[in-house]
Amino acid sequence: MRMIPSASPGLPRRAVAELVGTAALVAVVVGSGIQAAALSQDVGVRLLANSLASALGLGLLIALLGPLSGGHLNPVVTLSEWWARRDEEGAPRAGEVAAYLAAQLVGAVAGALLAEAMFGRAPGAWSTQVRSGTHLLIGETVATAGLVLLVQGLRRIDRSALAPVAVGGYLMAAIWFTSSGSFANPAGTVGRAFSDSFTGIAPASLPGFIGAQLLGLLLGVALASVLYGGRESGRRSGRNEPNGPDSRRKG
Amino acid sequence: MRMIPSASPGLPRRAVAELVGTAALVAVVVGSGIQAAALSQDVGVRLLANSLASALGLGLLIALLGPLSGGHLNPVVTLSEWWARRDEEGAPRAGEVAAYLAAQLVGAVAGALLAEAMFGRAPGAWSTQVRSGTHLLIGETVATAGLVLLVQGLRRIDRSALAPVAVGGYLMAAIWFTSSGSFANPAGTVGRAFSDSFTGIAPASLPGFIGAQLLGLLLGVALASVLYGGRESGRRSGRNEPNGPDSRRKG
Amino acid sequence: MRMIPSASPGLPRRAVAELVGTAALVAVVVGSGIQAAALSQDVGVRLLANSLASALGLGLLIALLGPLSGGHLNPVVTLSEWWARRDEEGAPRAGEVAAYLAAQLVGAVAGALLAEAMFGRAPGAWSTQVRSGTHLLIGETVATAGLVLLVQGLRRIDRSALAPVAVGGYLMAAIWFTSSGSFANPAGTVGRAFSDSFTGIAPASLPGFIGAQLLGLLLGVALASVLYGGRESGRRSGRNEPNGPDSRRKG
Amino acid sequence: MRMIPSASPGLPRRAVAELVGTAALVAVVVGSGIQAAALSQDVGVRLLANSLASALGLGLLIALLGPLSGGHLNPVVTLSEWWARRDEEGAPRAGEVAAYLAAQLVGAVAGALLAEAMFGRAPGAWSTQVRSGTHLLIGETVATAGLVLLVQGLRRIDRSALAPVAVGGYLMAAIWFTSSGSFANPAGTVGRAFSDSFTGIAPASLPGFIGAQLLGLLLGVALASVLYGGRESGRRSGRNEPNGPDSRRKG
């Protein structure tokens, strides 16, 4: 709380933070998946290890990068933040949103390739793991809606400082309670198409998953509005953190 | 601490929060159980994953919904809160208690059906998992008494802000150390009768389990009274948080 | 910090807290061990579940009972606290120490019997699990010394409020990194002789283990003195928390 | 925050703290590896237990020893701290750095021998586990760079008080997401050559791993500089904690 820098970093440095952070996130998810698949014959044990490592990695990255860029690392989070803060002073501009999304996408692909290199695999193979079926898309929609509700709910109760622990913990739970593996991140989903491994997703399955994620984004925003009240109180809440350019920042 | 809203949400919004929250809780418990049973052949691994996901889900829901409705998500908690606060100003009225219980019940069933849908199963099959025997009922009584002691103990030592972590952690431990699976939630128990899966319970076993839970409620309240002192100090403690309508609120 | 009651509970209530708490602790350890052994064929999975549940249970009990009795639940902790505070005003008297030890012992046995009852086993069978050998005793000595160093170290750096998380986390780690299973608690060791199950210990192995624990107590106190300085600074530190009768209290 | 001692301990006591702490860390890593390998046939389960115990042990040691010596327990951390604080008043002198490194090295070997003794093995056997290959060295470089980025990033955002949880959590994640096992600690790597067990490393593999760790150190420092800004703001940040001789201290 006492560490708000005198000025936010400029957009270039924030975009670098989003790029590096999303790369690290995807490297953690993909890398721990490759390791787990190599070490255990029990798919439950594999997913336990993979989900624990992914949750810890995501939480640490939000903690570390939150004060720089907000620690979104996920287009769904960036878009939901843009929507929630659209009436505030200092709300994100369209150009900022576009820079964040581009950085996340590039970072996600780089992270998948780094994971492949760390495990001595030839980078560049597309995933062959088809993930389709209505129930998977329902699962992915629920996973994303829950994430958005969590991030926006924390903002509405002024508890965004808990985001590192809460979002990390949510990912761990959602990987288990949804049928889809809880990608819940369009950039991460694209990145994971670049690794033919435990956590990969075949390119043909991308449109369905990303569509489900965008639907989940809408549902999550709507649910937050139903539970925490509409725009009026939203704006009021925003005014309470006047110089916080992003709710996930810890400052 | 700094986020107490000027006024508590009205009863309808609090009831919606309890409904949505209990639905999410049961979806997490049932969904992660279905996933775990599908992925692992080792029942210990299944229960590890299921208990971890359930504990994280419960903790996050209490954190997120505590400031709205108290984040009970469980008739036993609602009833113990009503009892503990019956002499305070602003104590819950019978109508509020009834609305909470109804919302929790409806939410629990909806959550079980959502989990079934996420995993591509035909919703509506009753569980066939009979859970009976005196020792299971002893286990369920102990599990519920421990939960009530925890919630009321935190209230008495002014540490209700720890409820998300403490109640989540308790669920994880209780699933393992009791013989019954630690349902400890009459609404959740009913909801879980609607899923014929790892975490289900056959309708015929409901009366025994719910009876044990109510007995555990009484034991937990009594134990809290023995350890933390009787009503006198209880009222004193209540006066220390004058405008907190619920001990689990984080405000 | 703001919740120090105007007066500490009297000795009888504190002894009840130690009895109930130690019973709950042993019930968690023994019960989760029985459950884990029944569910998994992999001893590693069994110990993962057993250690996680035990760590969570211990942490929650310290948090809940710390403000009442200090939340020792362990003769080694009571004795190390007595030693560390022997020169302070309000230091524990011999009668208090004796009452704590007796309550812990009775509670531990009761907790083992409760666990047996919860799992439908005939209470009263002695454990047949012989635990002997020099290396196990070295392990148990290390486990206990580490616990004492942790508790006294937290006191010396004024971080006793972290005891619930730290001591729980330590137990989880110590169960794995020592060869003995990290009983590290003479009362709990006696209690676990009353259950012929995963976490039991044959009565013939009690003297060796309890001897090792007392040796570990001495080593832990000595190590804390080496690292954090001798009695002079110890007394100074004590003066900084004038009315805290126990370092584990959270108030 | 309120517990800063009037004066830091002298170098001898700080070196003892680093020696004891590194010994304990290596004993936890090696000991839990031996235990896990003995109990489970599934290598995934072994690594889950080993990584959980190691992460908890490291976090507790940083918490306990941070106020004494900074709780480095790792030459890479000591060197990165020296670099980050080289322009501050009270920056570590070369002699202090050397004493820390020597203490860490001696402690690491002692810890490995203690673990061997606890498990009844004849101490002194060299590890026969060859760890080589370019991709492992990439993994080890990434693991170390991430650790340095984390420690320096926490310093730059004034969140070094989170180091116990963050560094412990990082270790858990990094063990899984990198291919090398995430030694990330030259002293620990040498110590682990002294145990022919699950977590050992053959002496012939030491040069490669330590070289990768030093490369990771450089990359981590560079990455922190890119993300958080160069020396100017670094010095500013240093001035904000005038009497903190080490960023990992919790005071």
Side-chain angles (χ1 to χ4, degrees):
Chain A
M1 298 287 172
R2 35 209 124 62
M3 58 142 207
I4 299 176
S6 47
S8 296
L11 180 57
R13 185 174 295 169
R14 285 188 283 144
V16 169
E18 288 290 311
L19 190 154
V20 170
T22 311
L25 174 62
V26 174
V28 170
V29 171
V30 172
S32 63
I34 294 172
Q35 175 99 288
L39 295 190
S40 179
Q41 294 309 308
D42 185 300
V43 186
V45 171
R46 290 178 184 178
L47 196 62
L48 264 181
N50 179 231
S51 56
L52 275 169
S54 302
L56 286 167
L58 177 55
L60 288 169
L61 288 165
I62 296 174
L64 213 49
L65 300 176
L68 291 180
S69 68
H72 297 180
L73 318 179
N74 185 343
V76 155
V77 172
T78 298
L79 291 170
S80 81
E81 289 290 290
W82 164 75
W83 178 256
R85 301 177 54 234
R86 67 198 181 283
D87 291 338
E88 293 175 19
E89 217 175 323
R93 287 166 291 110
E96 287 182 286
V97 170
Y100 268 49
L101 301 193
Q104 290 158 357
L105 201 63
V106 172
V109 175
L113 300 182
L114 174 60
E116 295 276 291
M118 276 200 293
F119 285 90
R121 299 155 55 101
W126 293 102
S127 170
T128 56
Q129 191 163 352
V130 176
R131 299 180 186 257
S132 64
T134 307
H135 66 284
L136 289 193
L137 299 182
I138 296 176
E140 188 65 12
T141 304
V142 169
T144 312
L147 173 65
V148 170
L149 175 60
L150 178 65
V151 171
Q152 294 308 321
L154 289 176
R155 158 186 287 279
R156 297 300 288 273
I157 62 175
D158 277 353
R159 283 285 179 275
S160 292
L162 299 179
V165 168
V167 175
Y170 176 78
L171 179 62
M172 167 92 201
I175 285 174
W176 281 96
F177 82 77
T178 68
S179 52
S180 64
S182 190
F183 286 57
N185 182 336
T189 307
V190 170
R192 286 159 69 169
F194 285 78
S195 174
D196 193 12
S197 64
F198 186 62
T199 55
I201 177 169
S205 303
L206 287 181
F209 262 59
I210 293 174
Q213 290 159 3
L214 295 177
L215 180 59
L217 166 60
L218 297 181
L219 283 177
V221 167
L223 200 49
S225 186
V226 167
L227 285 171
Y228 295 96
R231 295 179 64 181
E232 282 71 29
S233 25
R235 256 185 273 136
R236 273 220 335 247
S237 159
R239 269 201 295 254
N240 286 344
E241 35 175 322
N243 59 0
D246 189 288
S247 77
R248 281 239 211 124
R249 282 165 181 268
K250 308 187 40 131
Chain B
M1 297 288 173
R2 37 210 121 60
M3 61 143 206
I4 300 177
S6 49
S8 297
L11 180 56
R13 185 175 294 170
R14 286 188 283 145
V16 169
E18 288 290 312
L19 190 154
V20 169
T22 312
L25 173 61
V26 173
V28 171
V29 171
V30 172
S32 63
I34 294 171
Q35 175 100 286
L39 295 189
S40 180
Q41 294 309 308
D42 184 299
V43 186
V45 171
R46 290 179 184 176
L47 196 61
L48 264 181
N50 178 231
S51 56
L52 274 169
S54 301
L56 285 166
L58 177 55
L60 288 170
L61 288 165
I62 295 173
L64 213 49
L65 300 176
L68 291 180
S69 68
H72 296 180
L73 317 180
N74 184 344
V76 155
V77 172
T78 298
L79 290 170
S80 80
E81 288 291 291
W82 165 75
W83 178 257
R85 302 178 55 234
R86 68 198 181 284
D87 292 338
E88 293 175 19
E89 217 174 322
R93 286 167 292 108
E96 286 182 287
V97 170
Y100 269 49
L101 301 193
Q104 290 158 356
L105 201 62
V106 172
V109 175
L113 299 182
L114 173 61
E116 296 275 292
M118 275 199 294
F119 286 90
R121 299 155 55 101
W126 294 102
S127 169
T128 56
Q129 192 163 352
V130 176
R131 299 180 188 256
S132 62
T134 306
H135 66 284
L136 289 193
L137 299 183
I138 296 176
E140 188 65 13
T141 303
V142 169
T144 312
L147 174 65
V148 170
L149 175 59
L150 179 65
V151 171
Q152 294 308 320
L154 289 176
R155 158 186 287 278
R156 296 299 288 272
I157 61 174
D158 278 352
R159 283 286 181 273
S160 292
L162 299 179
V165 168
V167 175
Y170 176 78
L171 180 62
M172 168 91 200
I175 285 173
W176 281 97
F177 82 78
T178 68
S179 52
S180 65
S182 190
F183 287 58
N185 181 336
T189 307
V190 170
R192 287 159 68 169
F194 285 79
S195 173
D196 193 11
S197 65
F198 185 63
T199 56
I201 178 169
S205 304
L206 288 181
F209 262 59
I210 293 174
Q213 289 159 1
L214 295 178
L215 180 57
L217 166 60
L218 298 180
L219 283 176
V221 167
L223 199 49
S225 187
V226 167
L227 286 170
Y228 295 95
R231 295 180 64 182
E232 282 71 30
S233 24
R235 257 185 271 134
R236 273 218 337 243
S237 160
R239 270 202 293 255
N240 287 344
E241 35 175 323
N243 60 0
D246 189 289
S247 77
R248 281 239 212 125
R249 281 162 183 270
K250 306 186 41 128
Chain C
M1 298 288 171
R2 37 209 121 61
M3 60 144 207
I4 299 177
S6 47
S8 297
L11 180 57
R13 185 175 293 169
R14 286 189 282 144
V16 169
E18 288 290 312
L19 191 154
V20 170
T22 312
L25 174 60
V26 174
V28 171
V29 171
V30 172
S32 63
I34 294 172
Q35 176 98 286
L39 295 189
S40 180
Q41 293 309 308
D42 185 299
V43 185
V45 171
R46 289 179 184 178
L47 195 62
L48 263 181
N50 179 231
S51 56
L52 274 170
S54 301
L56 285 167
L58 177 55
L60 288 170
L61 288 165
I62 295 173
L64 213 50
L65 300 176
L68 291 180
S69 68
H72 297 178
L73 317 179
N74 184 343
V76 155
V77 173
T78 298
L79 290 170
S80 80
E81 288 291 290
W82 165 75
W83 178 256
R85 302 178 53 234
R86 68 196 182 285
D87 292 339
E88 292 175 19
E89 218 176 323
R93 288 167 291 109
E96 286 182 286
V97 170
Y100 269 49
L101 301 194
Q104 290 158 356
L105 200 63
V106 172
V109 175
L113 301 182
L114 174 60
E116 296 275 292
M118 276 200 293
F119 285 90
R121 299 155 55 102
W126 293 102
S127 170
T128 55
Q129 191 163 352
V130 176
R131 300 180 187 256
S132 63
T134 307
H135 66 285
L136 289 193
L137 299 182
I138 295 175
E140 187 66 12
T141 303
V142 169
T144 312
L147 174 65
V148 170
L149 174 60
L150 178 65
V151 170
Q152 294 307 321
L154 289 176
R155 158 186 287 278
R156 296 299 288 273
I157 61 173
D158 278 354
R159 284 285 180 274
S160 292
L162 299 179
V165 168
V167 175
Y170 176 78
L171 180 61
M172 167 91 201
I175 285 174
W176 281 96
F177 82 77
T178 68
S179 52
S180 65
S182 189
F183 286 59
N185 182 336
T189 307
V190 170
R192 286 160 68 169
F194 285 79
S195 173
D196 192 11
S197 65
F198 186 63
T199 56
I201 178 170
S205 304
L206 288 181
F209 262 59
I210 292 175
Q213 290 158 2
L214 295 178
L215 180 58
L217 166 60
L218 298 180
L219 283 177
V221 167
L223 200 49
S225 187
V226 167
L227 285 171
Y228 295 96
R231 295 180 64 182
E232 282 70 31
S233 25
R235 256 186 272 134
R236 273 222 333 249
S237 160
R239 270 202 294 256
N240 288 344
E241 36 175 323
N243 60 1
D246 189 290
S247 78
R248 281 242 212 121
R249 281 162 183 273
K250 308 187 39 133
Chain D
M1 300 285 173
R2 35 208 123 61
M3 58 142 207
I4 301 176
S6 47
S8 296
L11 180 57
R13 186 175 292 170
R14 285 189 283 144
V16 169
E18 287 291 311
L19 191 155
V20 170
T22 312
L25 174 61
V26 174
V28 170
V29 171
V30 173
S32 63
I34 294 173
Q35 176 99 285
L39 295 189
S40 180
Q41 293 309 308
D42 185 298
V43 185
V45 171
R46 291 177 183 179
L47 196 61
L48 263 181
N50 179 231
S51 57
L52 274 169
S54 301
L56 286 166
L58 178 55
L60 288 169
L61 288 165
I62 295 173
L64 212 49
L65 300 176
L68 291 180
S69 67
H72 298 179
L73 317 179
N74 185 343
V76 155
V77 173
T78 298
L79 290 171
S80 81
E81 289 290 291
W82 164 74
W83 178 257
R85 302 177 53 233
R86 67 197 181 284
D87 291 339
E88 293 176 19
E89 216 176 323
R93 287 167 291 109
E96 286 182 288
V97 170
Y100 268 50
L101 301 193
Q104 290 157 358
L105 200 63
V106 172
V109 175
L113 299 182
L114 174 61
E116 296 275 290
M118 276 200 293
F119 285 91
R121 299 154 56 100
W126 293 103
S127 170
T128 56
Q129 191 163 352
V130 176
R131 299 179 187 257
S132 63
T134 306
H135 66 284
L136 289 193
L137 299 182
I138 296 176
E140 188 65 12
T141 303
V142 170
T144 312
L147 174 65
V148 170
L149 175 60
L150 178 65
V151 170
Q152 294 308 321
L154 290 176
R155 159 187 285 279
R156 297 299 288 273
I157 61 174
D158 279 353
R159 283 287 180 273
S160 292
L162 298 179
V165 169
V167 175
Y170 176 78
L171 179 62
M172 168 91 201
I175 285 174
W176 281 96
F177 81 77
T178 68
S179 53
S180 65
S182 189
F183 287 57
N185 182 337
T189 306
V190 170
R192 286 160 68 168
F194 284 79
S195 173
D196 193 12
S197 64
F198 185 63
T199 56
I201 177 170
S205 304
L206 288 181
F209 262 59
I210 293 174
Q213 289 159 4
L214 295 178
L215 180 58
L217 166 59
L218 297 180
L219 284 177
V221 167
L223 200 49
S225 186
V226 167
L227 287 171
Y228 295 96
R231 294 180 66 181
E232 284 69 31
S233 25
R235 255 185 275 135
R236 274 221 334 248
S237 161
R239 270 202 293 257
N240 287 344
E241 34 174 325
N243 59 1
D246 190 289
S247 77
R248 282 240 210 124
R249 283 164 181 269
K250 309 189 36 134

